Amino acid sequence: MLERVRKARHRYRTTPKDVRRHYRMHGRQWLFHLQSELMERESHWMGIRALKNPLDAWVYQEILHEVQPTAVVELGSAFGGGTLFLCHMLDLLDLEAPVITVAHYHGAFAADHLRITKVTGDSGDRGVIDEVRDLCADRRVLLIHDASHDAAVVLSDLRNYSPLVAPGSYLIVEDGVTDTIGGQPGPLVAVNRFLRESADFEIDTSRERFLLSYNPRGFLRRRSTDDSN
Ligand SMILES: C[S@@+](CC[C@H](N)C(=O)[O-])C[C@H]1O[C@@H](n2cnc3c(N)ncnc32)[C@H](O)[C@@H]1O
């Protein structure tokens, strides 16, 4: 008993006030805090703005290592920090894999790397879909959806781009927090509808084990014939 009190006192005395305040945050508050850091105070990968939850970025590293993709498609480019992060992970893995990044506009895109191919246009545009498909021909594709967060648009993108994803690889649908925290029909609604239509994908909840993901139920793994063995 005395030992417990002694430890509690020590914890209290040695934990700075601002750190104590952080520890009292609920998960939801932490996610809001992260969002305001990312959107307002900025978060960077190698000097370029990256709109990524760092806990999710670690999980991406694990998935890339396991899947060993030979092409990565990112729908939604923004400033390019997320794109450059993917390039650097592929460099570390020494994989011959381009990173194809799609957005309406690349005027603010600041990443520069030999792996990057920018496709400028609406993700739902037939020409854009065909261009991405051609760039991915015969490649083992991992796809990250981080473009529009409107449920209907996400669902349409999932229908259009999911056939590119290789068996055993992942279709990562970012920002389900738009639904869970933001209270708007977004990626999570789209994922639920998509999974009702497609038996090819399953949610891999093990990718949410760090708990505070921006992508709840967003790590979709394409089933492979090896799964039954
Ligand atoms: C959340 S940001 C992407 C963040 C980026 N992936 C990162 O990790 O830093 C969303 C981007 O998608 C683009 N976008 C939104 N809807 C789109 C659509 N339907 N087609 C193409 N780009 C879209 C936006 O202009 C913006 O550049």
Side-chain angles (χ1 to χ4, degrees), residues 39 43 48-53 60 74-86 101-106 108-109 119-125 128 144-150 153-154 157 161 174-175:
M39 305 308 289
S43 156
I48 297 178
R49 283 190 71 182
L51 309 183
K52 279 268 175 293
N53 176 332
Y60 284 21
E74 179 192 51
L75 300 180
S77 318
F79 305 98
T83 323
L84 191 61
F85 169 80
L86 295 167
T101 187
V102 177
H104 284 137
Y105 164 77
H106 282 107
F109 189 85
V119 177
T120 307
D122 191 285
S123 58
D125 189 284
V128 169
I144 298 165
H145 187 285
D146 191 18
S148 168
H149 296 133
D150 173 85
V153 180
V154 179
D157 286 343
Y161 290 91
E174 289 218 2
D175 289 338

Side-chain angles (χ1 to χ4, degrees), residues 94-161:
D94 201 18
L95 290 171
E96 196 280 293
V99 177
I100 300 144
T101 187
V102 177
H104 284 137
Y105 164 77
H106 282 107
F109 189 85
D112 184 20
H113 193 287
L114 283 175
R115 293 183 186 275
I116 298 174
T117 299
K118 289 181 273 183
V119 177
T120 307
D122 191 285
S123 58
D125 189 284
R126 193 69 249 167
V128 169
I129 299 165
D130 290 347
E131 189 175 345
V132 173
R133 193 198 49 227
D134 291 350
L135 289 164
C136 291
D138 301 322
R139 289 186 178 271
R140 181 171 170 76
V141 174
L142 182 143
L143 196 139
I144 298 165
H145 187 285
D146 191 18
S148 168
H149 296 133
D150 173 85
V153 180
V154 179
L155 179 60
S156 164
D157 286 343
L158 298 185
R159 287 174 178 151
N160 287 325
Y161 290 91

Side-chain angles (χ1 to χ4, degrees), residues 15-216:
T15 310
K17 207 170 168 186
D18 59 326
V19 177
R20 279 207 301 272
R21 207 172 48 245
H22 297 163
Y23 287 178
R24 281 198 295 272
M25 273 188 187
H26 296 298
R28 176 186 288 267
Q29 289 170 318
W30 184 85
L31 285 168
F32 265 127
H33 168 77
L34 185 57
Q35 181 70 6
S36 59
E37 286 291 307
L38 288 178
M39 305 308 289
E40 285 158 31
R41 277 195 249 169
E42 306 184 5
S43 156
H44 298 83
W45 178 259
M46 298 292 151
I48 297 178
R49 283 190 71 182
L51 309 183
K52 279 268 175 293
N53 176 332
L55 290 178
D56 289 327
W58 185 271
V59 172
Y60 284 21
Q61 165 272 132
E62 292 180 347
I63 292 176
L64 288 165
H65 180 260
E66 285 171 38
V67 170
Q68 303 272 310
T70 55
V72 176
V73 177
E74 179 192 51
L75 300 180
S77 318
F79 305 98
T83 323
L84 191 61
F85 169 80
L86 295 167
C87 292
H88 288 160
M89 293 303 112
L90 294 166
D91 287 349
L92 288 173
L93 291 165
D94 201 18
L95 290 171
E96 196 280 293
V99 177
I100 300 144
T101 187
V102 177
H104 284 137
Y105 164 77
H106 282 107
F109 189 85
D112 184 20
H113 193 287
L114 283 175
R115 293 183 186 275
I116 298 174
T117 299
K118 289 181 273 183
V119 177
T120 307
D122 191 285
S123 58
D125 189 284
R126 193 69 249 167
V128 169
I129 299 165
D130 290 347
E131 189 175 345
V132 173
R133 193 198 49 227
D134 291 350
L135 289 164
C136 291
D138 301 322
R139 289 186 178 271
R140 181 171 170 76
V141 174
L142 182 143
L143 196 139
I144 298 165
H145 187 285
D146 191 18
S148 168
H149 296 133
D150 173 85
V153 180
V154 179
L155 179 60
S156 164
D157 286 343
L158 298 185
R159 287 174 178 151
N160 287 325
Y161 290 91
S162 58
L164 300 180
V165 177
S169 181
Y170 282 75
L171 167 54
I172 302 171
V173 187
E174 289 218 2
D175 289 338
V177 286
T178 308
D179 302 70
T180 57
I181 304 246
Q184 308 263 17
L188 212 49
V189 167
V191 164
N192 288 336
R193 292 203 185 129
F194 174 70
L195 289 180
R196 283 204 290 273
E197 299 171 2
S198 171
D200 291 347
F201 288 85
E202 61 187 349
I203 297 170
D204 182 354
T205 52
S206 74
R207 306 299 177 178
E208 298 172 46
R209 70 188 181 289
F210 297 140
L211 306 182
L212 294 173
S213 173
Y214 264 24
N215 315 329

